[in-house]
Amino acid sequence: MKTLPVFAVVLALAGCGPIIIRVAPSGSGGVMPQTAPQTIPPAQPQPAPQPAAVPVTASLQGVGLTEARTALALPFAGRWAVVEGNGTANHSSPETMYAWDFAPVDAGGSILNPAAKRKTANSAYYAWMSPVLAPADGQVVEVENGVFDNMMPGVKNRRQPAGNHVIIRHPAGDFSLLAHLKQGSVTVRPGDQVRKGDAIARAGNSGFSEHPRLHYAVLSSAQPRVSIPGAFV
């Protein structure tokens, strides 16, 4: 009778150890040589990939931009006018060189409400407490909300020129600065994510401000603050 090769197969049950396979070589008469069995180690479980950590507060450092990369929307609704900006006397520093100051106007172009009883009060200006909107998506990186509003137009706070303000870092790496906001009106905090058009504060008269208005600038860096040209689309 012809001797057939011996195939000894030992299969480990699931979870009971490695799989061992022994095969008698041809011509051995079916006798298994006394060699150490070859083992196939079980597959080692691979750790699940971990998502990248998202910082609570985005970096305040810029990426060396010389002009805005973000498509910006106007940070307000309605009819507003530029009352100061782009290299005027109060906008000549690196922080303010390319900044704009906006204020709402009526059909006649006036920033003052003629129906106001006290023309020297902040409330006489259309800008006072007007909603301020996020100009683009981004993450809030800096907020000031506790600076007193100047008591009347013409009185300026030179120690805290931006007054109450919000700085938003946009995904493209540039920043938006919205300043002269009304004390206590800011509704966002550092780390918050905002979408274009979100209401984030109200216009006020804090900081180095002649009258209620909104100061807006695109920045290449939030520390130090360096303004760069931008465009609204």
Side-chain angles (χ1 to χ4, degrees):
M1 179 177 178
K2 185 177 180 180
T3 303
L4 297 176
V6 177
F7 295 87
V9 181
V10 181
L11 299 179
L13 296 176
C16 296
I19 297 174
I20 303 174
I21 301 177
R22 297 181 183 177
V23 179
S26 176
S28 65
V31 179
M32 291 295 298
Q34 299 301 310
T35 56
Q38 296 181 348
T39 63
I40 301 175
Q44 298 296 320
Q46 297 298 317
Q50 298 297 316
V54 178
V56 173
T57 302
S59 170
L60 300 182
Q61 300 298 320
V63 291
L65 299 180
T66 56
E67 61 181 19
R69 289 181 179 173
T70 299
L72 302 165
L74 289 168
F76 47 77
R79 184 200 302 265
W80 292 52
V82 175
V83 294
E84 192 169 10
N86 286 349
T88 55
N90 292 329
H91 285 193
S92 56
S93 69
E95 178 180 342
T96 61
M97 178 65 70
Y98 296 103
W100 297 278
D101 282 3
F102 296 101
V105 295
D106 57 24
S110 174
I111 61 175
L112 264 173
N113 184 351
K117 294 181 179 180
R118 293 181 54 203
K119 298 298 190 292
T120 58
N122 286 324
S123 58
Y125 289 77
Y126 292 117
W128 182 247
M129 295 187 64
S130 292
V132 174
L133 313 177
D137 297 353
Q139 184 182 44
V140 178
V141 297
E142 186 174 311
V143 167
E144 176 59 64
N145 198 26
V147 179
F148 288 104
D149 287 282
N150 302 320
M151 296 300 294
M152 63 181 63
V155 178
K156 302 178 181 179
N157 181 348
R158 297 179 181 274
R159 294 182 302 166
Q160 300 164 295
N164 300 303
H165 63 273
V166 173
I167 298 180
I168 301 169
R169 181 185 176 97
H170 303 299
D174 43 12
F175 301 77
S176 282
L177 167 66
L178 303 104
H180 302 328
L181 306 175
K182 186 181 184 302
Q183 182 187 26
S185 73
V186 178
T187 58
V188 294
R189 297 181 297 177
D192 285 353
Q193 297 288 337
V194 295
R195 300 297 300 272
K196 180 174 66 175
D198 285 350
I200 59 174
R202 291 186 177 274
N205 190 25
S206 60
F208 193 73
S209 173
E210 183 74 25
H211 54 74
R213 61 177 68 189
L214 172 64
H215 175 95
Y216 178 77
V218 187
L219 307 177
S220 65
S221 170
Q223 288 185 354
R225 297 175 189 167
V226 179
S227 63
I228 53 177
F232 299 104
V233 296

